[in-house]
């Protein structure tokens, strides 16, 4: 077992395993084995992992001193991957929310504002076609409807002026069922 610990320590120092520098101590903390013969104390930048080992009726402890950065390296890699995925999801959400606003919400607001202007009597409303094809089609129809309303109201006003000018024409038009 001592030869195995020496081999693990040698491989760790060569960077070929992640087991750390190991030593064996008894229950009172007396050093039983260390590859360099000295007791490894708590070192800055290292984490000590203690594993109890039952040897007959005694309990010894295998202490492994591992660089903390080596312990957390895999966690940091996974954390960075999760962070990148979260950022990617947020970027897509931002892109699609802008797309939704530009292609759907804004054109509907423009149509709503145009309807309010028509309701107030402004028939000079013209909305620029934008957004999804269905919304562009609806905007074209809205603009055509406003133009047609303007023409119809103009014709009606012209008939009313003619009717006011000659009352007898009004009577004739009613008899011909033009009104």
């Amino acid at each position: 077992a001592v030869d195995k610990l020496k081999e693990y320590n040698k491989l760790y120092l060569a960077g070929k395993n992640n087991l750390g520098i190991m030593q064996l101590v008894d229950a009172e903390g007396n050093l039983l084995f260390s590859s360099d013969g000295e007791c490894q104390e708590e070192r800055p930048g290292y984490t000590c992992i203690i594993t109890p080992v039952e040897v007959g009726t005694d309990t010894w402890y295998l202490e492994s001193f591992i660089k903390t950065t080596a312990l957390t390296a895999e966690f940091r890699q996974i954390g960075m991957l999760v962070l990148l995925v979260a950022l990617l999801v947020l970027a897509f959400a931002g892109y699609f929310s802008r797309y939704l606003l530009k292609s759907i919400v804004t054109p509907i607001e423009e149509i709503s504002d145009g309807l309010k202007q028509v309701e107030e009597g402004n028939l000079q409303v013209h909305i620029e076609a934008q957004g999804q094809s269905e919304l562009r089609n609806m905007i074209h129809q809205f603009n055509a409807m406003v133009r047609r309303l303007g023409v119809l109201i103009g014709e009606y006003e012209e008939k009313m002026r003619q009717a006011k000018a000659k009352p007898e024409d009004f009577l004739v038009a009613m008899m011909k069922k033009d009104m």
Side-chain angles (χ1 to χ4, degrees):
V2 171
D3 291 334
K4 264 302 193 205
L5 289 178
K6 283 182 184 178
E7 183 182 336
Y8 288 152
N9 286 349
K10 185 176 168 184
L11 290 173
Y12 178 76
L13 292 173
K16 296 183 180 178
N17 75 24
N18 294 326
L19 299 175
I21 298 174
M22 293 186 258
Q23 67 183 17
L24 195 59
V25 295
D26 63 12
E28 287 81 36
N30 299 320
L31 181 64
L32 299 175
F33 168 79
S34 176
S35 59
D36 60 4
E38 293 183 18
C39 184
Q40 303 288 326
E41 297 295 326
E42 288 290 329
R43 300 192 219 175
Y46 281 78
T47 300
C48 180
I49 299 174
I50 300 172
T51 306
V53 178
E54 298 291 328
V55 179
T57 58
D58 292 333
T59 302
W60 293 350
Y61 297 94
L62 182 62
E63 295 179 343
S64 298
F65 293 90
I66 304 171
K67 287 184 182 176
T68 305
T69 55
L71 283 175
T72 59
E74 200 171 313
F75 171 78
R76 281 184 279 129
Q77 288 174 346
I78 292 171
M80 288 302 289
L81 182 63
V82 168
L83 181 63
L84 288 174
V85 168
L87 288 175
L88 187 64
V89 166
L90 288 175
F92 277 132
Y95 172 76
F96 285 115
S97 66
R98 270 196 337 235
Y99 175 78
L100 177 73
L101 284 172
K102 183 179 174 187
S103 298
I104 298 172
V105 174
T106 302
I108 289 175
E109 285 179 342
E110 292 286 328
I111 293 171
S112 176
D113 291 342
L115 286 171
K116 286 178 186 173
Q117 290 180 28
V118 168
E119 181 182 12
E120 292 168 0
N122 180 7
L123 295 178
Q124 300 303 316
V125 176
H126 180 79
I127 300 173
E128 292 296 322
Q130 57 182 333
Q132 293 290 324
S133 62
E134 294 85 1
L135 291 172
R136 287 193 308 268
N137 187 27
M138 191 165 71
I139 290 171
H140 288 303
Q141 290 174 357
F142 173 83
N143 289 333
M145 176 194 72
V146 171
R147 283 192 302 275
R148 183 68 182 142
L149 274 174
V151 168
L152 288 173
I153 289 174
E155 289 174 0
Y156 175 75
E157 287 174 347
E158 183 61 33
K159 283 184 182 181
M160 292 305 290
R161 274 191 296 258
Q162 288 176 0
K164 286 182 182 177
K166 301 176 188 172
E168 59 273 2
D169 291 337
F170 182 68
L171 183 60
V172 171
M174 281 179 51
M175 293 177 79
K176 290 182 180 179
K177 296 184 181 178
D178 288 338
M179 291 188 78

